[in-house]
Amino acid sequence: MLLISCPWCGPRDEVEFRCGGEAHIVRPKDPDALLDSEWADYLFMRTNPKGVHRERWVHAQGCHRWFNVLRHTVTHQILAVYRIGEAPPEVEHHR
Amino acid sequence: MKRYSIFALLSHAISGHQRWPRLWRDPDPKPRYKVVIVGAGGHGLATAYYLAREHGITDVAVLEKGWLGGGNTGRNTTIIRSNYLTDDSAALYEHSLKLWEGLTAELNFNLMLSQRGVLNLAHTLHDVREGVRRVNANRLNGIDAEWLDTAQVKAFCPILNVDPGARYPVLGATLQRRGGVARHDAVAWGFARAADARGVDIIQNCEVTAIRREGGRVVGVDTTRGFIGAGKVAIVAAGHNSVLAAMAGVRLPIESHPLQALVSEPVKPILDCVVMSNTVHVYVSQSDKGELVLGAGIDGFNSYGQRGSFHVIEGQMAALVELFPIFSRMRMMRSWGGIVDVCPDASPIIGKLPVEGLYLNGGWGTGGFKATPGSGWVFAYTIARGEPHPLNAAFGLERFTSGGLIDEHGAAAVAH
């Protein structure tokens, strides 16, 4: 069970949130100009790291706002929480 | 391979069962193999077995970072069925079910296959329509399927709560009588023993740390037990497929999630079929030891940690008690998690990767156990011939570029 710090509401139980998957996937500006493989990469391919994952969460049963989280996918430790549009902060982590 | 029989049993009884041979050897890795399979779970071992049996390729190593069958093969809820909606899936899973039906005799190893029937409950009008449609689709594909109304469901599974006043009343169910359960560990052990007997090297405690390429083609793998050369490398690593593919610079449409399961204290026989419900979301059967075996859906976040959050278990327990009030005071013994590799279309990827000599069998998500023999069978064909069998031709990685998805999400008789 995760304890997630919503940037607006503070620390809340995981059940109030939904995970929105990998963060920082930017929709291509001109999809018509892409190769099928580039469009597939945007739509379907994922980093799926064993380690620090940059992911989006939404406070679905709270303020209903989206934000980004750095979380380790083995320990589940949340290393940072930052707002949409911000660059991921540098973090140190221990396995 | 020393065959198991009543005579072997009697002769070993005389020696107090102290002299049974090991099921498989424990060889050191050779410098090079024709085919190296990464992952000694059910799918990897089945692949090795069918490579040897169907294609005569025995210069094969199966590498396993932990112990044989210690991943999802030993962590699933052992349900077997083939009642999938789409033609591609139905053909693949039905092929697998047919292999299951002859496998205990073929492997000379008791897989304890019990075709006790699988119910998929319908609780809403939409569930009913989906169920009836799936029954018809299954029948058109030659797969046994029946639609049961509420009274028939109650007759088939008398302890099920079909009270119309329930929040999600049981309006009917699909039934596949040939579906059921099998002993999950035995599948890995049976394939391992049979593959080993045909000359396949099964190498445990041997983790792949890199995939070596030269001139765009695979030449071998670096492992914790040194470099092992390979003509072809086949990745069958379940939750870790993305990690392995990344070693060869390949991105996959896969995300790894925890899938939790749990078992109750053992009780006397009470549930003689498999019951699955998408809408309240739990699936349950009773093991031969008497434990209820329970599962449901994945945790929403990515993980390689082989554990999940408690509220997911809480949700499936609430569903269990809703469906079976008789179980409300049962105690749960233990829970665990496995890491499943989930594809966007809830269907596996079985085929070549865009590196010469590199193959992948993965993305089975939450439903790979039932496919173990069929998966190994088509993958062995694909590796041996360098091209897919018609049964897995639609399951290539290229479908994510072409747009030809299998589209089993919400249609596979299980919620994803």
Side-chain angles (χ1 to χ4, degrees), chain B residues 242-255:
Chain B
S242 294
V243 175
L244 279 151
M247 290 177 190
V250 177
R251 268 160 71 78
L252 297 178
I254 282 176
E255 293 198 291

Side-chain angles (χ1 to χ4, degrees), chain B residues 36-40 44 61-64 206 208 211 221 233-238 241 244:
Chain B
V36 164
I37 296 169
V38 185
V62 188
L63 310 184
E64 169 56 49
C206 180
V208 170
I211 296 174
V221 291
V233 173
I235 301 171
V236 201
N241 283 328
L244 279 151

